[in-house]
Amino acid sequence: MNVGDRHYRTIWLSDDGRSVEIIDQRWLPHDFRVEKVSTVAGIATAIRDMWVRGAPLIGVTAAYGVAIQMADDPSDAALDGVWEVLHETRPTAINLRWALDEMRNFLRPLPSGQRAEAAYRRAGEIADEDVSLNRAIGANGLEIIKEIVARKQPGEPVNILTHCNAGWLATVDYGTATAPIYLAVEAGIPVHVYVDETRPRNQGAQLTAWEMAGHGVPHTLIVDNAGGHLMQRGQIDMVIVGTDRTTADGDVCNKIGTYLKALAAADNDVPFYVALPSPTIDWTVGDGLAEIPIEQRSSDEVSLVWGKTASGEIAQVRISPETTPAANPAFDVTPARLVTGLITERGVAKASREGLKAMFPGR
Amino acid sequence: MNVGDRHYRTIWLSDDGRSVEIIDQRWLPHDFRVEKVSTVAGIATAIRDMWVRGAPLIGVTAAYGVAIQMADDPSDAALDGVWEVLHETRPTAINLRWALDEMRNFLRPLPSGQRAEAAYRRAGEIADEDVSLNRAIGANGLEIIKEIVARKQPGEPVNILTHCNAGWLATVDYGTATAPIYLAVEAGIPVHVYVDETRPRNQGAQLTAWEMAGHGVPHTLIVDNAGGHLMQRGQIDMVIVGTDRTTADGDVCNKIGTYLKALAAADNDVPFYVALPSPTIDWTVGDGLAEIPIEQRSSDEVSLVWGKTASGEIAQVRISPETTPAANPAFDVTPARLVTGLITERGVAKASREGLKAMFPGR
């Protein structure tokens, strides 16, 4: 999407045809830095140290890492080696593993002399496929936004609440939860986005707000505590969030706090949608609450807040007593009963086993 | 309550019998500062600039301000003057006005030569009455905690979630929502408190956590997003919050985000209690959602986070883009249907007009 006047993806091939350029997201929203990465070690660092984040983007970055390796050394040993090196950077990231497997399986049968070119081509395809997937999600979500517009006064904006960052920064472009928003903007529909700051890591305040500001989407930052109140007052027309994992029964695992917004939406008859590419559906799990283990992250993410001081320095401040321990569950599970619909690339499915089976009959 | 080895109130008369000493809460949890205040101007600053905060404490501080004025000049003009000066510091604070009216009405009939001594005595009584009120709330809340203990394994702690700071720092001692917790500790009952950080001003992280640490109460800081997840997992036995204003129908106006916790409690059959001194019941209002105006505070409270840097400096950091606007509603209304009970100094009332009338038959 746009950063001011210019369109960007989160990752693209350099003019040299060999390196990739990425947005180093660690400095957002305070500093917009593009970095050229030319080595496998550089790709590993970018994934491990979260210069790039978001499942789809991690996968694409890893695919380009394999391509860089093939340009250096297209041997079988190098192909296995780069798989190992990159897989270790974020071992629990499913998209990372998928992309590495995809690249290795695609390249293995090829003669080594053809591997480099084929690898760059396939990595580029994976990037483009992500964009297409997100545009398809966006188009399906746009239909919902249009239905809301039809019930409004002319020119009145559709107020959309989102939590965390399921935006273009988490993908190659468009994002998942944000795709319907960007397509609405493209279609000239007035939207206004309430952005949950999304403690503890503030991805809403740092990333989603930055995306909206860069692309010129009217938006307002709120604390995570405020969404329920806004819904009570009729100030939210719909909620759209992303998901890390959706179960075959339609339960949604997403950033901590999503469940509270879903409760408030249900209590106030506000439609609550989850946008997801179908590969994030985990068909092996039914009951999300019982079966999905929740990652416990560092207490420092709760106790320390990162930002920019008045003098322009990047700093962390402690908000609590040194002796106070903190717990930091990273995700929660929103039961399917609270989800109005699952916006996939194929259409909007009911959040239930029947709904998902009807949309994805092969599964 | 205790700060380490020593018991404190939030305000007390100095040894000179004329000044008061207060905890300057602006520096908590990073610095524990006690300030001696000897002038009306000093009292006005302490209230206006939030050295002291919390409705009951503001009232008591103002009462001592009147006493300081009477020691200086016990004339009728001075009595009216101090009322005006102190009322202007926080014009919407109901307890402030109540305490100023109470002091003026009490002092007016007295000969000016008796006013100073009477004023200090009455201010001290108001302080003691607050402590008694809170202890009574605590005793009634303790009965609920004891019922939960009775259903637990021996030695297993009662897990209590609280939001914001309705602690002893907001009162003279004990607090409202925290009074049952402190009385449970006095009774040797094992408790563990989950402290919501309470964005945007982080009163939970800064004040409630500091209180718990100082008094030695086991506690864990969490982001406001986490409480629903903990309830889903059975990790919360009860919620206790305070309130700024409770309606005659039992609707509860409290710090933004309270409503979300009440929804999660209801969804998970976790009892949700509100602790309140009966003077905060607004008998003139029924439907809190329709009738209570919600204060909109500065967007800087959302965009800037206050704390201590690694090098020990107090600083604010910006967490969002400079161009991103923020909305900051300070309170929300929790409908009575989500409230298990109202813990008052007289007992635990049902959150309904009938429940409140039964407990306060005169109203």
Side-chain angles (χ1 to χ4, degrees):
Chain A
M1 307 315 300
N2 292 350
V3 181
D5 295 338
R6 201 178 137 186
H7 178 262
Y8 282 89
R9 285 183 171 188
T10 49
I11 186 167
W12 62 95
L13 193 61
S14 283
D15 290 340
D16 65 14
R18 197 176 183 294
S19 312
V20 291
E21 291 178 54
I22 58 167
I23 299 171
D24 181 353
Q25 302 188 21
R26 292 174 301 162
W27 311 100
L28 296 177
H30 307 299
D31 202 0
F32 176 56
R33 297 190 191 175
V34 171
E35 296 290 344
K36 187 183 231 179
V37 184
S38 310
T39 63
V40 171
I43 293 285
T45 300
I47 297 172
R48 188 193 316 105
D49 295 349
M50 300 182 75
W51 303 22
V52 294
R53 17 75 58 201
L57 175 54
I58 288 171
V60 172
T61 307
Y64 275 113
V66 173
I68 288 169
Q69 178 65 75
M70 292 299 96
D72 261 5
D73 172 0
S75 69
D76 283 3
L79 188 54
D80 287 340
V82 71
W83 191 102
E84 290 294 341
V85 166
L86 294 181
H87 183 252
E88 268 170 28
T89 56
R90 298 283 299 271
T92 60
I94 289 175
N95 276 54
L96 174 63
R97 196 193 166 111
W98 174 86
L100 290 170
D101 284 345
E102 170 68 18
M103 291 297 285
R104 186 162 63 177
N105 295 341
F106 175 71
L107 296 170
R108 176 81 80 198
L110 301 182
S112 61
Q114 295 176 20
R115 283 180 180 169
E117 194 199 329
Y120 279 103
R121 194 178 61 241
R122 185 72 195 111
E125 284 169 4
I126 293 173
D128 289 344
E129 285 161 13
D130 180 60
V131 177
S132 299
L133 197 63
N134 297 336
R135 274 199 69 102
I137 290 168
N140 292 324
L142 179 59
E143 295 308 308
I144 299 165
I145 294 176
K146 283 181 176 169
E147 286 166 25
I148 294 169
V149 167
R151 296 194 301 267
K152 294 221 154 208
Q153 299 298 315
E156 210 185 342
V158 177
N159 285 295
I160 301 170
L161 177 93
T162 190
H163 190 70
C164 199
N165 178 261
W168 71 271
L169 289 170
T171 64
V172 176
D173 208 351
Y174 286 98
T176 52
T178 54
I181 294 167
Y182 290 125
L183 264 62
V185 171
E186 282 184 12
I189 295 168
V191 292
H192 171 264
V193 181
Y194 280 104
V195 179
D196 271 359
E197 63 174 350
T198 321
R199 285 279 290 145
R201 290 171 61 88
N202 288 339
Q203 293 96 330
Q206 290 173 12
L207 303 177
T208 306
W210 181 85
E211 283 193 14
M212 297 294 139
H215 199 74
V217 182
H219 66 291
T220 302
L221 179 67
I222 52 173
V223 296
D224 302 307
N225 282 325
H229 168 74
L230 295 177
M231 291 186 217
Q232 286 180 313
R233 303 267 157 162
Q235 290 176 253
I236 309 284
D237 295 306
M238 71 186 297
V239 180
I240 316 181
V241 299
T243 169
D244 291 77
R245 201 164 162 191
T246 297
T247 74
D249 287 347
D251 292 343
V252 171
C253 183
N254 190 43
K255 189 64 54 190
I256 191 81
T258 302
Y259 166 57
L260 293 172
K261 294 301 138 61
L263 285 168
D267 199 46
N268 294 285
D269 293 323
V270 173
F272 184 92
Y273 287 96
V274 181
L276 65 147
S278 62
T280 64
I281 302 169
D282 186 343
W283 297 98
T284 68
V285 169
D287 181 342
L289 211 51
E291 297 178 57
I292 298 180
I294 299 296
E295 179 187 355
Q296 302 292 322
R297 294 180 58 89
S298 162
S299 65
D300 279 353
E301 292 185 353
V302 177
S303 307
L304 304 174
V305 176
W306 181 92
K308 191 178 186 176
T309 65
S311 58
E313 284 160 65
I314 298 297
Q316 275 188 321
V317 292
R318 172 172 293 277
I319 61 165
S320 55
E322 303 266 357
T323 53
T324 288
N328 186 14
F331 302 96
D332 63 23
V333 173
T334 298
R337 68 184 149 86
L338 299 174
V339 177
T340 309
L342 301 169
I343 308 174
T344 75
E345 70 275 17
R346 290 210 191 159
V348 181
K350 282 200 66 165
S352 65
R353 191 169 285 262
E354 299 68 38
L356 282 169
K357 287 243 172 197
M359 185 91 29
F360 300 94
R363 305 311 296 249
Chain B
M1 308 315 300
N2 292 351
V3 181
D5 294 339
R6 199 178 138 186
H7 179 262
Y8 282 89
R9 286 183 170 188
T10 50
I11 186 167
W12 62 96
L13 193 62
S14 284
D15 289 341
D16 65 15
R18 196 176 184 293
S19 313
V20 290
E21 291 178 55
I22 57 168
I23 299 170
D24 181 354
Q25 302 188 21
R26 294 174 300 161
W27 309 100
L28 295 177
H30 306 298
D31 201 2
F32 177 56
R33 297 190 191 176
V34 171
E35 296 290 343
K36 187 182 231 181
V37 184
S38 310
T39 64
V40 171
I43 293 285
T45 300
I47 297 173
R48 188 193 319 104
D49 296 348
M50 301 182 72
W51 303 22
V52 295
R53 17 75 57 201
L57 175 55
I58 289 171
V60 171
T61 307
Y64 274 113
V66 173
I68 288 170
Q69 177 65 73
M70 292 298 96
D72 262 3
D73 172 1
S75 69
D76 283 2
L79 186 55
D80 288 340
V82 71
W83 191 102
E84 290 294 340
V85 166
L86 295 181
H87 182 252
E88 268 169 29
T89 55
R90 298 282 301 271
T92 61
I94 289 174
N95 276 54
L96 174 64
R97 197 194 165 109
W98 174 86
L100 290 170
D101 284 345
E102 171 68 18
M103 291 296 285
R104 185 161 64 177
N105 295 340
F106 175 72
L107 296 170
R108 176 79 80 198
L110 302 182
S112 60
Q114 295 176 18
R115 283 179 179 170
E117 195 199 329
Y120 280 103
R121 194 177 62 241
R122 184 73 195 111
E125 285 168 4
I126 292 173
D128 289 344
E129 286 161 12
D130 180 60
V131 177
S132 300
L133 197 62
N134 296 336
R135 274 199 68 103
I137 290 168
N140 292 325
L142 179 60
E143 295 308 308
I144 299 165
I145 294 175
K146 283 181 177 168
E147 286 166 25
I148 294 170
V149 167
R151 296 193 300 267
K152 293 221 154 210
Q153 300 298 317
E156 210 185 341
V158 177
N159 286 294
I160 301 170
L161 177 96
T162 190
H163 191 70
C164 201
N165 179 261
W168 72 270
L169 288 169
T171 65
V172 176
D173 208 352
Y174 287 98
T176 53
T178 54
I181 294 166
Y182 290 125
L183 265 61
V185 171
E186 281 183 12
I189 294 169
V191 292
H192 170 264
V193 181
Y194 280 104
V195 179
D196 270 359
E197 63 173 349
T198 320
R199 284 280 290 146
R201 290 171 62 87
N202 287 339
Q203 294 96 331
Q206 290 173 12
L207 303 177
T208 306
W210 181 85
E211 283 192 13
M212 297 295 138
H215 199 74
V217 182
H219 67 292
T220 302
L221 179 67
I222 53 174
V223 295
D224 302 307
N225 283 324
H229 168 73
L230 295 177
M231 292 187 216
Q232 286 180 313
R233 303 267 155 162
Q235 291 176 252
I236 309 283
D237 295 307
M238 71 186 297
V239 181
I240 317 180
V241 299
T243 168
D244 291 78
R245 201 164 162 190
T246 298
T247 75
D249 287 347
D251 292 343
V252 171
C253 183
N254 191 42
K255 189 63 55 190
I256 190 81
T258 302
Y259 166 57
L260 293 172
K261 293 300 137 59
L263 285 169
D267 199 47
N268 294 284
D269 293 322
V270 173
F272 183 93
Y273 287 96
V274 180
L276 65 149
S278 63
T280 64
I281 301 169
D282 186 342
W283 297 97
T284 69
V285 169
D287 181 342
L289 211 51
E291 297 178 58
I292 297 180
I294 298 296
E295 179 186 356
Q296 302 293 322
R297 294 180 58 89
S298 162
S299 64
D300 280 353
E301 291 184 353
V302 176
S303 307
L304 304 174
V305 176
W306 180 92
K308 192 179 185 175
T309 66
S311 58
E313 284 159 65
I314 298 298
Q316 275 188 321
V317 293
R318 172 173 294 276
I319 61 165
S320 55
E322 302 265 358
T323 54
T324 288
N328 186 13
F331 302 96
D332 63 23
V333 173
T334 298
R337 67 184 150 86
L338 299 174
V339 177
T340 308
L342 301 170
I343 308 174
T344 75
E345 70 275 18
R346 288 209 192 159
V348 181
K350 282 200 67 163
S352 65
R353 191 167 285 263
E354 300 67 39
L356 282 169
K357 287 242 171 198
M359 185 97 18
F360 300 94
R363 305 309 298 247

